[in-house]
Amino acid sequence: MKQQVTISLYWKCQLIGWSVAALYWGYTGYIQQGFNWALGIIQFITDITVYITITHLYRCFALKQGWQNLGLNKLLPRLIPTVIVLGVIYLFVTVSKVYFFRVWFQPGFSKSFTEFFDFYRDSIFVAGVRLMSIWLLAYHMYHYSKREIGIAKENARLAVITRDAQLNNLSAQLNPHFLFNSLNNIKALIIDDPKSARRAIDLLADLLRNSLYSGDKQMITIKEELELVKDYLELEKLRLEERLQYHIEAGDEFHDILISRLSIQTLVENAIKHGISQQKRGGLVNIQLVNEHDDLIISVSNPGWLKPIEESNGLGIKNLKERLDLQYKGGAYFAISEANDTVTAIIKIPLA
């Protein structure tokens, strides 16, 4: 089956726009006396060809410079001199074209190019600036609106994924086994250690409150994320007791940096579920944040062995990868590896 050839929206707009302009110019010549049909057709074809060529060359230049990705505050200062330059090009091309057509098709035409240029210079330049301004605004406003729509779609998708992460996190915290063990630990502590029991209730309440009422924010500070992680680890320690040890190494300089919500928590939950809980003696969950060549490196390590099925099919990890990709436009990096019976998950986020 033969594939149907389609014309892009850009070329459709180019052909239609300049054809309409050329028809208008042709009509203004037609209503005057002495209209030459052959010259009118040639003018129509050359008008479309020449002005499409000029604007298309600008498009190639703008794409190479990445102007279609600029915001309005950075784009407008570039467009003002561009309009002037394109107006000057339009002036010389149009005057030259009209002059030589008159020399070839109008008997008795004897003006020099300089005289002809001086006579039409101002009016054609103003017309060129006006036409090029309209073309540039239409072209860049289309790209700007298209980019804004794409950003809005990505933000909406990111909001949905973040909400899913919140619900998955809440589900993990409220699963019957986890909740049953936590309440039993609290019950035992009430008699032996009332102070610890009160602390456990506070931790459980904080986790639930964060999950239920603070889940609308897509980005939170590292300080807020680590506070949530500490509450989670302390509550899990009530269940695992001495089997769970943890160490957090994060300098104060990282506290105000924004990261995707529940990113570190997801790695910690994964470390406990697939690492510490599976070890008879338990082990250490080590959380470390470092600055490496203007990249924030977040690593969470735990004793255990990496199971490929967990890495590829884990819902929390899949969710985290997609959120990082959307939030940082592919600039973030996630990896999980095993060495010396230790599993390490790493997130790299650009700081610049």
Side-chain angles (χ1 to χ4, degrees), residues 307-340:
K307 298 179 182 179
I309 189 171
E310 291 174 0
E311 180 185 2
S312 60
N313 295 338
L315 181 61
I317 296 300
K318 279 186 176 180
N319 187 289
L320 175 61
K321 287 180 179 178
E322 191 164 2
R323 284 193 293 137
L324 288 172
D325 186 57
L326 285 171
Q327 193 70 57
Y328 298 98
K329 312 295 183 185
Y333 169 81
F334 173 82
I336 185 167
S337 60
E338 177 199 340
N340 301 323

Side-chain angles (χ1 to χ4, degrees), residues 267 270-271 274 300 302 305-308 310-312 317 321 333-339 342-347:
L267 300 185
N270 202 59
H274 300 292
V300 177
N302 60 272
W305 302 272
L306 185 62
K307 298 179 182 179
E310 291 174 0
E311 180 185 2
S312 60
I317 296 300
K321 287 180 179 178
Y333 169 81
F334 173 82
I336 185 167
S337 60
E338 177 199 340
T342 299
V343 176
T344 302
I346 293 176
I347 297 174

